[in-house]
């Protein structure tokens, strides 16, 4: 039997959907195959989305974030806000991203521009979903990037890392 793939579940009490992959066969399939041992791997969450939060796939994010070049003289048209933790940022990030960890967003909201689109990204979508909900509540035009930096890397979008190491997300 083929492993389950691409299923979605609804989180009780929230209007949030988790897209996950199950890389192992379900118990019934193991029983039919005569295997009773539980596998050591479990399903993994690939993306977190909500029908009430504006979101776009990675390929719809403007290419201006693919380089670390400074914004035009008239200012940026959009901001890619990376809300991952410092250690995640150091391993790899989009060249044109602005880094504000999720827990710091309320205190540093004055660093953001109300007149531009904010593309919010994290590792897979859970934190960016919450930040987009908060930012839209206080008046920003915020958009979640589906799949986060994992999808960014899978799509072949450029990455940079701090120091001399090679950038990678997973």
């Amino acid at each position: 039997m083929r492993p389950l793939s691409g299923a979605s579940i609804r989180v009780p009490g929230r209007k949030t959907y988790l897209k996950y992959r199950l890389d192992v066969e379900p118990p019934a399939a193991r029983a039919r195959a005569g295997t009773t041992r539980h596998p050591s791997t479990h399903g993994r969450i690939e993306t977190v989305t909500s029908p009430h939060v504006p979101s776009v796939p990675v390929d719809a994010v403007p290419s201006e974030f693919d380089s670390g070049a400074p914004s035009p003289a008239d200012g940026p048209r959009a901001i890619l806000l990376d809300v991952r933790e410092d250690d995640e940022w150091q391993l790899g990030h989009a060249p044109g991203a602005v880094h504000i960890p999720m827990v710091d967003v309320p205190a540093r909201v004055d660093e953001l521009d109300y007149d531009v689109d904010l593309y919010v990204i994290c590792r897979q979508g859970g934190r960016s979903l919450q930040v987009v909900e908060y930012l839209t509540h206080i008046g920003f035009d915020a958009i979640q990037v589906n799949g986060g930096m994992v999808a960014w890397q899978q799509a072949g979008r450029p990455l940079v890392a701090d120091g001399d190491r090679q950038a990678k997300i997973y």
Side-chain angles (χ1 to χ4, degrees):
M1 175 175 213
R2 284 180 61 196
L4 297 175
S5 170
S8 294
I9 60 172
R10 186 172 187 283
V11 177
R14 297 210 56 187
K15 294 177 180 164
T16 303
Y17 297 87
L18 304 175
K19 180 180 178 195
Y20 68 94
R21 283 183 72 92
L22 188 57
D23 294 327
V24 297
E25 293 194 10
R30 289 194 310 268
R32 281 194 301 274
T35 306
T36 57
R37 192 182 112 230
H38 288 349
S40 60
T41 58
H42 299 284
R44 65 178 184 270
I45 295 174
E46 291 182 343
T47 60
V48 181
T49 62
S50 171
H52 304 289
V53 172
S55 62
V56 295
V58 168
D59 58 359
V61 175
S63 62
E64 66 188 79
F65 304 119
D66 289 349
S67 70
S71 301
D74 58 347
R77 295 181 314 240
I79 295 172
L80 179 62
L81 176 62
D82 191 323
V83 297
R84 295 175 300 145
E85 296 296 320
D86 290 331
D87 60 328
E88 295 173 288
W89 170 264
Q90 291 168 3
L91 290 175
H93 54 272
V98 172
H99 180 231
I100 301 177
M102 178 181 163
V103 297
D104 296 337
V105 169
R108 296 177 59 188
V109 76
D110 291 339
E111 297 175 32
L112 303 174
D113 187 347
Y114 279 93
D115 297 325
V116 300
D117 288 331
L118 283 172
Y119 292 89
V120 184
I121 196 164
C122 62
R123 187 173 196 285
Q124 292 179 287
R127 289 171 283 184
S128 61
L129 178 75
Q130 293 176 16
V131 172
V132 168
E133 287 176 336
Y134 171 73
L135 291 173
T136 55
H137 178 74
I138 62 170
F140 284 93
D141 290 327
I143 305 159
Q144 180 196 28
V145 179
N146 286 339
M149 289 303 297
V150 169
W152 186 278
Q153 182 176 340
Q154 289 173 341
R157 302 283 299 257
L159 292 170
V160 294
D162 292 350
D164 294 333
R165 70 183 102 185
Q166 181 177 354
K168 71 175 202 164
I169 304 304
Y170 60 93

